[in-house]
Amino acid sequence: DAVEGAEADEADGLRTPIVAVLGHVDHGKTTLLDTIRGSAVSEGEAGAITQHIGATAVPLETVSEMAGDLVDPTDFDLPGLLFIDTPGHHSFTTLRSRGGALADIAVVVVDVNDGFQPQTIEALEILQRTGTPFVVAANKIDTTPGWNPNDGAPIQATYEQQSEGARGRLDENLYEIIGDLSDEGFSADLYWRVQNFTKNVGVVPLSAITSEGVPDLLAVLMGLSQRYMKEQMAIDVTGPGAGTVLEVKDERGFGATVDVVLYDGSIRADDEIVVGGVDGPIVTEVRALLQPRPNAEIRVEKRFDKVDEVRAAAGIKVAAPELDDAMAGAPIRVIRDRDRADVIEEVEAELAEIQVSTEEE
Ligand code: GDP
């Protein structure tokens, strides 16, 4: 019955790009994710599943509703965006996929008044090292002295309605951010002036509180993915899956479970899997695939819905025996029709890589 994740795109097999949010503490990463999640839930049509384990899926129709005139859904064939819910670069660096970054694209959040801070620079270095494309969200524009908020408006619409003084103060802060990016070696500009996003970093002024400019951010992420990542997104969404463990958690009635972001293929409720563990690969069998129950009440015992299959990209909780020693950041692979020894070897190789890179840090 229930198949979650990239169900609409079976024909062309394009998966959802995975988006991570990074930036200095208190610059607004969590608030931005909450805002996107909140609007996705309220705009989402009935049936459009948005809450995943460890991630929020924003389907294309929802992106287009949130972005208004900025996104014409007929221009896109990617199914939407999957935001990883755990912000910050610690989670970004520990979340890998086959040696690269788990996220396909990143948002670096910078407080427009506070400007670049140590963790901003760290985030940029990590993105450069991993070759991850990114945009900069110049957040908290609503705190510009004299700012008149227009909730949910695209940036240019709200900008035009501000006083000259407020506009000037915002411009000054934005140019400072563009200058700081340039000092770090990135040629950057306000996103609507960027012609080639492989050469220039786009800056999106926004407010995570008033949602001004959030339509622009979604439009830019969608546009960038469609333009530059389509090939990367073309996968066999029904093939044996590959993912990364976000967290290992005990759940009442299920024992140790792993929260996973699946970035390739599919996972089914009767699959045999290999999961990276503290003492090496764990070979086990899926007992249940679990998704959070929408609007679960605290009193309701069952917090999860069981699903039969999930397709990339998606967040999913996997219940299986023997997961106590599973490791956050480790790979998870579906065996299905593949050679078991090959899959175990792959997981072993990736675990070795994780060890090397943690020692480097
Ligand atoms: P994080 O540490 O990067 O996740 O930052 P948070 O999302 O926790 O935000 C830190 C503080 O800044 C909180 O008090 C937020 O309410 C506030 N904040 C975040 N975004 C905005 C914004 O766009 N405008 C205003 N006025 N406050 C914001």
Side-chain angles (χ1 to χ4, degrees):
D1 43 357
V3 176
E4 302 208 355
E7 54 200 305
D9 51 306
E10 188 163 10
D12 46 18
L14 288 172
R15 75 159 169 87
T16 323
I18 300 169
V19 187
V21 176
L22 287 76
H24 195 75
V25 63
D26 282 347
H27 281 199
K29 300 177 291 294
T30 312
T31 309
L32 179 62
L33 277 164
D34 284 348
T35 297
I36 290 170
R37 210 170 9 231
S39 343
V41 168
S42 63
E43 296 269 0
E45 310 250 305
I49 290 138
T50 52
Q51 272 314 117
H52 284 217
I53 291 285
T56 300
V58 189
L60 176 61
E61 316 93 76
T62 312
V63 169
S64 133
E65 278 163 41
M66 286 163 71
D69 290 345
L70 298 178
V71 171
D72 176 353
T74 61
D75 289 343
F76 298 92
D77 45 18
L78 291 179
L81 300 165
L82 186 79
F83 288 86
I84 298 177
D85 283 344
T86 333
H89 53 251
H90 176 69
S91 60
F92 183 88
T93 47
T94 51
L95 300 179
R96 294 155 197 277
S97 69
R98 298 201 174 107
L102 173 62
D104 302 299
I105 186 165
V107 178
V108 177
V109 177
V110 184
D111 181 327
V112 78
N113 298 300
D114 214 13
F116 268 43
Q117 295 298 332
Q119 288 169 304
T120 318
I121 294 166
E122 252 172 66
L124 294 176
E125 283 167 357
I126 291 165
L127 294 170
Q128 195 161 36
R129 194 168 71 224
T130 54
T132 311
F134 65 93
V135 294
V136 170
N139 189 31
K140 307 196 189 185
I141 59 167
D142 61 294
T143 61
T144 307
W147 191 263
N148 269 317
N150 296 285
D151 286 7
I155 184 63
Q156 266 148 329
T158 186
Y159 183 85
E160 275 163 23
Q161 289 178 37
Q162 305 301 322
S163 67
E164 213 169 293
R167 268 189 259 174
R169 285 185 280 272
L170 177 62
D171 286 347
E172 225 170 89
N173 284 336
L174 290 173
Y175 286 123
E176 200 153 315
I177 288 176
I178 291 169
D180 285 342
L181 276 162
S182 156
D183 291 344
E184 294 303 312
F186 297 99
S187 155
D189 210 337
L190 296 167
Y191 86 87
W192 56 87
R193 298 204 188 119
V194 173
Q195 305 272 339
N196 183 342
F197 281 90
T198 62
K199 292 208 177 103
N200 297 297
V201 172
V203 175
V204 185
L206 57 79
S207 162
I209 295 280
T210 66
S211 294
E212 292 166 286
V214 173
D216 305 69
L217 178 68
L218 292 169
V220 172
L221 291 173
M222 204 64 223
L224 260 172
S225 310
Q226 177 75 28
R227 184 95 191 261
Y228 302 107
M229 276 180 250
K230 213 179 136 177
E231 252 171 62
Q232 210 179 312
M233 296 300 113
I235 58 155
D236 176 5
V237 289
T238 61
T244 302
V245 175
L246 296 176
E247 250 185 287
V248 186
K249 272 190 201 160
D250 275 318
E251 296 291 353
R252 191 139 44 103
F254 294 103
T257 66
V258 286
D259 289 358
V260 168
V261 168
L262 192 74
Y263 59 81
D264 196 359
S266 69
I267 182 165
R268 299 178 187 152
D270 60 354
D271 271 328
E272 203 181 2
I273 52 173
V274 182
V275 183
V278 182
D279 302 315
I282 302 162
V283 183
T284 182
E285 240 172 76
V286 176
R287 199 202 297 166
L289 299 176
L290 304 167
Q291 286 289 25
R293 192 159 250 230
N295 312 317
E297 284 176 42
I298 293 164
R299 286 165 182 281
V300 178
E301 274 287 298
K302 270 179 71 183
R303 293 166 50 215
F304 301 107
D305 284 327
K306 288 189 188 179
V307 293
D308 293 336
E309 185 186 26
V310 177
R311 293 173 187 175
I316 185 77
K317 182 184 282 295
V318 181
E322 318 290 338
L323 289 179
D324 298 277
D325 290 335
M327 219 165 60
I332 172 169
R333 290 279 187 288
V334 169
I335 299 178
R336 207 174 298 161
D337 50 7
R338 300 189 61 200
D339 182 76
R340 177 189 298 191
D342 283 354
V343 180
I344 294 173
E345 208 171 293
E346 259 179 39
V347 169
E348 229 156 36
E350 269 192 51
L351 281 173
E353 237 177 78
I354 293 172
Q355 247 102 49
V356 169
S357 49
T358 2
E359 276 158 25
E360 274 171 4
E361 269 164 23

